[in-house]
Amino acid sequence: MFAMQGGGFLFLAVVVVLGPQAEGQPTANTEQACGRGRVDGSYMGVQGLSGNISSPNYPNMYPGNINCAWRIMVDEGQRIVIVFKALDIEDHGQCSYDYLRIRDGAGTTAASLAKVCGHTLPPSVTSSGNNVLIIFRSDYSVGGEGFDIEWSAEDLPGLISNTSCEREGGRYMGVQGLSGNISSPNYPNMYPKNSNCAWRIMVDEGKRIVIVFKALDIEDHGACSYDYLRIHDGAKSTAASLAMVCGHRLPPSVTSSENNVFLIFRSVW
Ligand SMILES: *[C@@H]1O[C@H](CO)[C@@H](O)[C@H](O)[C@H]1NC(C)=O
Ligand SMILES: *[C@@H]1O[C@H](CO)[C@@H](O)[C@H](O)[C@H]1NC(C)=O
Ligand SMILES: *[C@@H]1O[C@H](CO)[C@@H](O)[C@H](O)[C@H]1NC(C)=O
């Protein structure tokens, strides 16, 4: 990674009392359908914080001779938990005919986390890194309803450390009050490489949090893949993202839907 550090960010968080939230949460997941005869190596990319994936036509019979692949990709520092909600795939001792396979990485040679068929729901599986590859295959004969799984991203245990940002103990820095400024470590000087900071802002029930960006100077990248500030609409990093920012242009302010936000600032080596 070309770590071009910048001066980081500074923003002001103020609390406002607003009426109840009417609209639903934005969903970050993409639910994909797999067409017939998909070739190995080409896959449907899935990103976000959680989602459901099911076999084509589910809950009706899946087609014969299909070869579907989904790759789930979450942020560095997170892993993927997959829970089986329904399974009805042609049964066989080694699952040699039709099967659902989950690999612990992005490629078809990554270690297998599960290879399943039949009707018994397997225990959930957890990836070791931030990618899984899901493959579903059927032969020409005998089918079933297929599968329905739910995945979610969670932080790798022990990831958020205070090596390069201050904190008050626990996993994050708790921030309370009616308003406050939060800035990157060392601001307005260069933020350190390999920063991994988290703040949770918590206000009284019935109130919401408005965050106004006052300064932004974070390594620029189209998808903010290297260094970024991310703001989640809730108490944890699994809550929907309100903003993911990098670069130099001040983003519009964001408003939480409830009384918590969770902020993550990361920089690469
Ligand atoms: C997945 O499906 C369940 C119902 O089985 C639903 O409650 C949940 O909201 C869905 N999750 C996502 C991320 O769409
Ligand atoms: C984390 O912060 C605490 C208190 O500020 C400090 O005592 C400790 O040495 C820090 N740990 C690391 C790994 O920097
Ligand atoms: C936040 O910083 C601004 C200066 O940028 C200052 O005027 C203001 O009082 C600070 N707010 C709080 C709550 O500390």
Coordinates of all heavy atoms in Angstrom, one line a residue, residues 136-179:
F136 N -22.0 -23.3 -5.1 CA -23.1 -24.2 -5.1 C -23.2 -24.9 -6.4 O -23.2 -24.2 -7.4 CB -24.4 -23.4 -4.8 CG -25.7 -24.3 -4.8 CD1 -25.8 -25.3 -4.0 CD2 -26.7 -24.0 -5.7 CE1 -26.9 -26.1 -4.0 CE2 -27.8 -24.8 -5.8 CZ -27.9 -25.9 -4.9
R137 N -23.2 -26.2 -6.3 CA -23.2 -27.0 -7.6 C -24.3 -28.0 -7.5 O -24.6 -28.6 -6.5 CB -21.9 -27.7 -7.7 CG -20.7 -26.8 -8.0 CD -19.6 -27.5 -8.8 NE -18.7 -26.4 -9.1 CZ -17.4 -26.6 -9.0 NH1 -16.8 -27.7 -8.6 NH2 -16.6 -25.6 -9.3
S138 N -24.9 -28.2 -8.7 CA -25.8 -29.3 -8.8 C -25.5 -30.1 -10.1 O -25.0 -29.6 -11.0 CB -27.3 -28.8 -8.9 OG -27.5 -28.1 -10.1
D139 N -25.9 -31.4 -10.0 CA -25.7 -32.2 -11.2 C -27.0 -32.3 -12.0 O -27.9 -31.5 -11.6 CB -25.2 -33.6 -10.9 CG -26.2 -34.4 -10.1 OD1 -27.3 -33.9 -9.9 OD2 -25.9 -35.6 -9.7
Y140 N -27.2 -33.1 -12.9 CA -28.4 -33.1 -13.8 C -29.6 -33.6 -13.1 O -30.7 -33.4 -13.6 CB -28.1 -33.8 -15.1 CG -27.8 -35.3 -14.9 CD1 -28.8 -36.2 -15.0 CD2 -26.5 -35.8 -14.6 CE1 -28.6 -37.6 -14.8 CE2 -26.3 -37.1 -14.3 CZ -27.3 -38.0 -14.4 OH -27.1 -39.3 -14.2
S141 N -29.4 -34.5 -12.1 CA -30.6 -35.2 -11.5 C -30.9 -34.9 -10.1 O -29.9 -34.4 -9.4 CB -30.5 -36.7 -11.7 OG -29.5 -37.1 -10.8
V142 N -32.0 -35.1 -9.6 CA -32.5 -35.0 -8.2 C -32.1 -33.6 -7.7 O -31.0 -33.1 -7.8 CB -31.8 -36.0 -7.3 CG1 -32.5 -36.0 -5.9 CG2 -31.9 -37.4 -7.9
G143 N -33.1 -32.9 -7.1 CA -32.8 -31.6 -6.6 C -33.4 -31.4 -5.2 O -33.4 -32.4 -4.4
G144 N -33.8 -30.2 -4.9 CA -34.3 -29.9 -3.6 C -34.6 -28.4 -3.6 O -34.4 -27.7 -4.6
E145 N -35.0 -27.9 -2.4 CA -35.2 -26.5 -2.3 C -33.9 -25.7 -2.3 O -33.9 -24.5 -2.5 CB -36.0 -26.2 -1.0 CG -37.5 -26.6 -1.1 CD -38.2 -26.3 0.1 OE1 -37.7 -25.7 1.1 OE2 -39.4 -26.7 0.2
G146 N -32.8 -26.4 -1.9 CA -31.5 -25.7 -1.9 C -31.1 -25.2 -0.5 O -31.3 -25.9 0.4
F147 N -30.6 -24.0 -0.5 CA -30.2 -23.5 0.8 C -30.5 -22.0 1.0 O -30.8 -21.3 0.0 CB -28.6 -23.6 0.9 CG -27.9 -22.7 0.0 CD1 -27.5 -21.4 0.4 CD2 -27.6 -23.1 -1.3 CE1 -26.8 -20.6 -0.5 CE2 -26.9 -22.3 -2.2 CZ -26.5 -21.0 -1.8
D148 N -30.5 -21.6 2.2 CA -30.7 -20.2 2.6 C -29.7 -19.9 3.8 O -29.8 -20.6 4.8 CB -32.1 -20.0 3.0 CG -32.4 -18.5 3.3 OD1 -31.7 -17.6 2.7 OD2 -33.4 -18.2 4.0
I149 N -28.8 -19.0 3.6 CA -27.8 -18.7 4.6 C -27.8 -17.2 4.9 O -28.2 -16.4 4.1 CB -26.4 -19.2 4.3 CG1 -25.9 -18.5 3.0 CG2 -26.3 -20.7 4.1 CD1 -24.5 -18.9 2.6
E150 N -27.4 -16.9 6.1 CA -27.3 -15.5 6.5 C -25.9 -15.2 6.9 O -25.3 -16.0 7.7 CB -28.3 -15.1 7.6 CG -28.2 -13.6 7.9 CD -29.5 -13.2 8.7 OE1 -30.3 -14.0 9.1 OE2 -29.6 -12.0 8.9
W151 N -25.3 -14.2 6.4 CA -23.9 -13.9 6.8 C -23.8 -12.5 7.4 O -24.7 -11.6 7.2 CB -22.9 -13.9 5.6 CG -23.2 -12.9 4.5 CD1 -24.0 -13.0 3.5 CD2 -22.6 -11.6 4.5 NE1 -24.0 -11.8 2.8 CE2 -23.1 -10.9 3.4 CE3 -21.7 -10.9 5.3 CZ2 -22.8 -9.6 3.0 CZ3 -21.3 -9.6 4.9 CH2 -21.9 -9.0 3.8
S152 N -22.8 -12.3 8.2 CA -22.6 -11.0 8.8 C -21.1 -10.8 9.1 O -20.4 -11.8 9.3 CB -23.4 -10.8 10.1 OG -23.1 -11.9 11.0
A153 N -20.7 -9.6 9.1 CA -19.3 -9.2 9.4 C -19.2 -8.9 10.9 O -20.1 -8.3 11.5 CB -18.9 -8.0 8.6
E154 N -18.1 -9.4 11.5 CA -17.8 -9.0 12.8 C -16.3 -8.7 12.9 O -15.5 -9.1 12.2 CB -18.2 -10.1 13.8 CG -17.4 -11.4 13.7 CD -17.7 -12.4 14.8 OE1 -18.8 -12.4 15.3 OE2 -16.7 -13.1 15.2
D155 N -16.0 -7.9 13.9 CA -14.6 -7.5 14.1 C -13.8 -8.7 14.6 O -14.3 -9.5 15.4 CB -14.5 -6.4 15.2 CG -14.9 -5.1 14.7 OD1 -15.0 -4.9 13.4 OD2 -15.2 -4.2 15.5
L156 N -12.6 -8.8 14.1 CA -11.7 -9.8 14.6 C -11.5 -9.5 16.1 O -11.3 -8.4 16.4 CB -10.4 -9.8 13.9 CG -10.3 -10.4 12.5 CD1 -9.0 -10.0 11.8 CD2 -10.4 -11.9 12.6
P157 N -11.5 -10.5 16.9 CA -11.3 -10.3 18.3 C -10.0 -9.6 18.6 O -9.0 -9.9 18.0 CB -11.4 -11.6 19.0 CG -11.2 -12.6 17.9 CD -11.6 -12.0 16.6
G158 N -10.1 -8.6 19.5 CA -8.8 -8.0 19.9 C -8.2 -7.0 18.9 O -7.1 -6.6 19.0
L159 N -8.9 -6.7 17.8 CA -8.3 -5.9 16.8 C -8.1 -4.5 17.2 O -7.0 -3.9 16.9 CB -9.2 -6.0 15.5 CG -8.5 -5.1 14.5 CD1 -7.5 -5.8 13.7 CD2 -9.5 -4.5 13.5
I160 N -9.1 -3.9 17.8 CA -9.0 -2.5 18.0 C -8.1 -2.3 19.2 O -8.4 -2.7 20.3 CB -10.4 -1.9 18.3 CG1 -11.2 -2.0 16.9 CG2 -10.3 -0.5 18.7 CD1 -12.6 -1.6 17.0
S161 N -7.0 -1.7 19.0 CA -6.0 -1.5 20.1 C -5.7 -0.1 20.2 O -6.0 0.8 19.4 CB -4.7 -2.3 19.7 OG -4.1 -1.7 18.7
N162 N -5.0 0.3 21.2 CA -4.7 1.7 21.5 C -3.2 2.0 21.2 O -2.6 2.8 21.7 CB -5.0 2.1 22.9 CG -4.3 1.3 23.9 OD1 -3.7 0.2 23.6 ND2 -4.2 1.8 25.1
T163 N -2.7 1.2 20.2 CA -1.3 1.5 19.9 C -1.1 2.9 19.3 O 0.0 3.5 19.5 CB -0.7 0.4 19.0 OG1 -1.6 0.3 17.9 CG2 -0.6 -0.9 19.6
S164 N -2.0 3.4 18.6 CA -1.8 4.7 18.0 C -2.9 5.6 18.2 O -3.1 6.6 17.5 CB -1.5 4.5 16.5 OG -2.6 3.8 15.9
C165 N -3.8 5.3 19.1 CA -4.8 6.4 19.5 C -5.1 6.2 21.0 O -5.0 5.1 21.5 CB -6.0 6.3 18.6 SG -6.9 4.8 18.7
E166 N -5.4 7.3 21.6 CA -5.6 7.2 23.0 C -7.0 6.5 23.3 O -7.9 6.6 22.4 CB -5.7 8.6 23.6 CG -4.5 9.5 23.4 CD -4.8 10.9 23.4 OE1 -5.8 11.3 24.0 OE2 -4.1 11.7 22.8
R167 N -7.1 6.0 24.4 CA -8.5 5.5 24.7 C -8.5 5.3 26.3 O -7.5 5.3 27.0 CB -8.8 4.2 24.0 CG -8.1 3.0 24.5 CD -8.6 1.7 24.0 NE -7.9 0.6 24.5 CZ -8.2 -0.6 24.2 NH1 -9.1 -0.9 23.4 NH2 -7.5 -1.6 24.8
E168 N -9.7 5.1 26.7 CA -9.9 5.0 28.1 C -10.1 3.6 28.7 O -10.5 3.4 29.8 CB -11.2 5.8 28.5 CG -11.1 7.3 28.2 CD -12.4 8.0 28.1 OE1 -13.5 7.3 28.1 OE2 -12.4 9.3 28.1
G169 N -9.7 2.7 27.9 CA -9.9 1.3 28.3 C -11.1 0.6 27.6 O -11.9 1.3 26.9
G170 N -11.1 -0.7 27.6 CA -12.2 -1.4 26.9 C -11.8 -1.3 25.4 O -10.7 -1.1 25.1
R171 N -12.8 -1.6 24.6 CA -12.5 -1.7 23.2 C -12.6 -0.3 22.5 O -12.1 -0.2 21.4 CB -13.5 -2.6 22.5 CG -13.3 -4.0 22.9 CD -14.2 -4.9 22.1 NE -13.8 -5.0 20.7 CZ -14.5 -4.7 19.7 NH1 -15.7 -4.2 19.9 NH2 -14.1 -4.9 18.5
Y172 N -13.1 0.7 23.1 CA -13.3 1.9 22.4 C -13.2 3.0 23.4 O -13.3 2.8 24.6 CB -14.7 2.0 21.7 CG -15.8 1.6 22.6 CD1 -16.3 2.6 23.5 CD2 -16.3 0.4 22.6 CE1 -17.3 2.3 24.3 CE2 -17.3 0.0 23.5 CZ -17.8 1.0 24.4 OH -18.8 0.7 25.2
M173 N -13.1 4.2 22.9 CA -13.2 5.4 23.7 C -14.6 5.8 23.8 O -15.3 6.1 22.8 CB -12.3 6.5 23.2 CG -10.9 6.1 23.3 SD -9.8 7.2 22.4 CE -9.8 6.5 20.8
G174 N -15.2 5.8 25.0 CA -16.5 6.2 25.2 C -16.6 7.8 25.2 O -15.7 8.4 25.9
V175 N -17.5 8.4 24.6 CA -17.7 9.8 24.6 C -19.1 10.1 25.0 O -20.0 9.6 24.4 CB -17.4 10.4 23.1 CG1 -17.5 11.9 23.1 CG2 -16.0 10.0 22.7
Q176 N -19.2 11.0 25.9 CA -20.5 11.4 26.4 C -20.6 12.9 26.5 O -19.6 13.6 26.6 CB -20.9 10.7 27.7 CG -21.4 9.2 27.5 CD -21.6 8.5 28.8 OE1 -20.7 8.3 29.5 NE2 -22.9 8.2 29.0
G177 N -21.8 13.4 26.7 CA -22.0 14.8 26.8 C -23.0 15.3 25.8 O -23.7 14.5 25.2
L178 N -23.0 16.6 25.5 CA -23.9 17.2 24.6 C -23.2 17.6 23.3 O -23.9 17.8 22.3 CB -24.6 18.4 25.2 CG -25.7 18.0 26.3 CD1 -26.2 19.2 27.0 CD2 -26.8 17.2 25.6
S179 N -21.9 17.8 23.3 CA -21.2 18.0 22.1 C -19.7 17.8 22.4 O -19.3 17.8 23.5 CB -21.4 19.5 21.6 OG -20.9 20.4 22.5

